[in-house]
Amino acid sequence: MTNPGLRREVINIYKELLNLGKNYPQGYPYFQTHLHKSFASQTGLQDEKDIRKGIERAEYVKKEIEALYYLKRYRALRRRYGQA
Amino acid sequence: MPTPLKILVPVKRVIDYAVKPRVNKARTAVETAGVKHSMNPFDELSIEAAVRMRERKNPPVDDILALSAGPAKCVDVLRTAMAMGADRSIHVEIPDAGQGQAELEPLGVAKLLAKVVAEEGPNLVILGKQSIDDDSNQTGQMLAGLLGWGQATQASKIEFDDGDRVSVTREVDGGVETVRFPLPGIITTDLRLNEPRYASLPNIMKAKKKKLEKKTLSDYGVDEGRRLKTVRVEEPPPRKGGGKVEDVDGMIAKLKELGAI
């Protein structure tokens, strides 16, 4: 990867995902190894377009994890406090 | 031109919703040492409500003040609140005497909040309807009583019309109810009001620079005298498993045995 701006973006999204993983249901170590593996599997990407696509996918995963946390909590609370 | 809002959002640090609480050995309280804590989920809803009001800009929001009263670790909760979008926060420190004995009662919290309101001058207070540890569901109501302000509890929708009136849709038994009151006022949030955002990493960093004031109860002249005494805390009895019956006759015999028919 030669574009430093793009490199920064990839590192940022990686850090954001790591931060999100702290509350992952299967535990942080599980999340961390899997995240590292999935980023490492993409190191071969050279084309800017491909890397952008990868970042987009990471953003999508981030949204999914946030939704997972929200729903998990919402459902737990709804079960506890009943249908108002 | 509508009056700009100054919002006060009190938040509580509670045992995380995902943790199964354990009763301590003395059976006087729930074990809190070494247990994961986080912001009360209903308070997250109220922070989110305040931040969304700011984003909507109508009426404009001047200030979002988060407040928490409790042991030193409440600062983490306030940082989260500021990472979600609160502007500044006040931490009223109550040294933890261990096992939640020093925790304020709803009336104490309401009195403290009344003093804070007098000092800081917010015109809207958004609280979680209850905390998931005590489940008292009293603080908002008591504060409204002490201040003589209008209140809308269990809000599932909040709207502003011109002329400084707030319409709040409340969740009540078997349906919804819409109430309207002029500012200043008090809103307590219910589960379906909004979807709280997850504090992003850059925002967590920015929150570290936001102002956090430290206060004590004596700064506000509130005495924390306890009126309630916890007599005993017990875990619910374990669930008994059901039994299977062979056929219809077996079922009828069983029902008769239980006195159902």
Side-chain angles (χ1 to χ4, degrees):
Chain A
M1 205 191 292
T2 43
N3 186 340
L6 210 53
R7 183 184 158 77
R8 194 72 245 157
E9 267 183 62
V10 173
I11 293 173
N12 278 348
I13 187 77
Y14 184 69
K15 281 186 180 168
E16 290 246 348
L17 282 168
L18 269 186
N19 181 50
L20 266 177
K22 280 176 193 155
N23 296 320
Y24 203 66
Q26 279 133 298
Y28 184 62
Y30 173 91
F31 185 88
Q32 202 255 334
T33 44
H34 279 243
L35 181 68
H36 187 260
K37 237 187 256 169
S38 40
F39 267 70
S41 71
Q42 304 295 315
T43 43
L45 297 185
Q46 291 296 328
D47 193 14
E48 180 168 344
K49 235 196 298 169
D50 289 343
I51 298 171
R52 288 246 173 263
K53 226 181 240 166
I55 294 175
E56 239 168 68
R57 208 168 95 207
E59 294 278 358
Y60 174 77
V61 171
K62 188 180 141 201
K63 258 189 245 158
E64 289 282 297
I65 297 172
E66 279 175 15
L68 166 82
Y69 289 165
Y70 169 72
L71 269 179
K72 192 167 165 258
R73 188 176 53 201
Y74 174 80
R75 288 184 180 143
L77 287 174
R78 199 180 55 175
R79 212 170 301 131
R80 245 172 258 177
Y81 293 103
Q83 302 266 24
Chain B
M1 190 63 195
T3 331
L5 290 175
K6 287 184 79 181
I7 307 174
L8 170 66
V9 188
V11 294
K12 184 173 183 181
R13 176 177 175 266
V14 298
I15 294 178
D16 192 77
Y17 81 95
V19 176
K20 195 174 183 300
R22 296 271 171 215
V23 176
N24 67 3
K25 286 216 177 71
R27 301 213 163 186
T28 49
V30 168
E31 193 69 63
T32 53
V35 176
K36 187 186 173 200
H37 282 66
S38 54
M39 193 195 297
N40 179 24
F42 289 110
D43 296 340
E44 271 182 33
L45 289 156
S46 34
I47 293 272
E48 179 68 28
V51 176
R52 286 193 187 191
M53 282 175 197
R54 156 163 295 153
E55 284 164 357
R56 220 176 301 128
K57 291 197 176 85
N58 185 33
V61 174
D62 268 2
D63 182 35
I64 301 175
L65 169 62
L67 179 136
S68 189
K73 281 187 180 152
C74 284
V75 170
D76 300 345
V77 168
L78 289 172
R79 292 280 174 213
T80 314
M82 290 193 286
M84 286 173 75
D87 297 312
R88 61 195 179 99
S89 49
I90 297 178
H91 175 213
V92 180
E93 186 153 4
I94 300 165
D96 199 3
Q99 298 309 319
Q101 281 307 309
E103 196 168 78
L104 283 175
E105 288 169 10
L107 184 61
V109 179
K111 281 180 175 168
L112 169 69
L113 290 176
K115 287 272 160 56
V116 175
V117 165
E119 203 166 281
E120 301 284 343
N123 51 11
L124 183 65
V125 185
I126 309 178
L127 305 92
K129 70 165 177 174
Q130 63 192 51
S131 64
I132 61 166
D133 52 359
D134 291 340
D135 290 321
S136 301
N137 189 354
Q138 293 171 337
T139 308
Q141 290 87 328
M142 284 177 172
L143 179 62
L146 287 174
L147 292 170
W149 288 6
Q151 62 167 324
T153 54
Q154 272 114 285
S156 66
K157 197 176 174 193
I158 305 171
E159 283 171 314
F160 287 88
D161 22 339
D162 316 324
D164 295 338
R165 279 170 173 277
V166 196
S167 292
V168 177
T169 306
R170 309 177 49 224
E171 296 202 1
V172 292
D173 284 342
V176 292
E177 177 184 78
T178 306
V179 293
R180 193 191 299 150
F181 62 86
L183 289 175
I186 286 168
I187 297 172
T188 72
T189 58
D190 207 339
L191 197 53
R192 273 164 283 273
L193 177 62
N194 56 39
E195 297 164 21
R197 67 196 62 191
Y198 206 86
S200 72
L201 212 47
N203 283 343
I204 293 172
M205 293 302 159
K206 274 181 221 155
K208 289 185 179 164
K209 294 200 184 90
K210 288 183 179 175
K211 207 171 126 198
L212 195 151
E213 270 180 86
K214 284 221 184 286
K215 299 262 189 181
T216 58
L217 280 179
S218 50
D219 288 345
Y220 291 105
V222 179
D223 83 289
E224 71 268 50
R226 295 185 69 82
R227 287 149 196 267
L228 302 172
K229 186 165 176 274
T230 306
V231 182
R232 200 171 48 183
V233 181
E234 272 185 59
E235 284 190 28
R239 248 178 74 100
K240 291 190 195 92
K244 264 191 181 167
V245 289
E246 285 295 311
D247 48 14
V248 177
D249 290 340
M251 183 179 76
I252 289 171
K254 200 85 185 158
L255 285 174
K256 276 193 177 142
E257 190 187 305
L258 292 167
I261 47 173

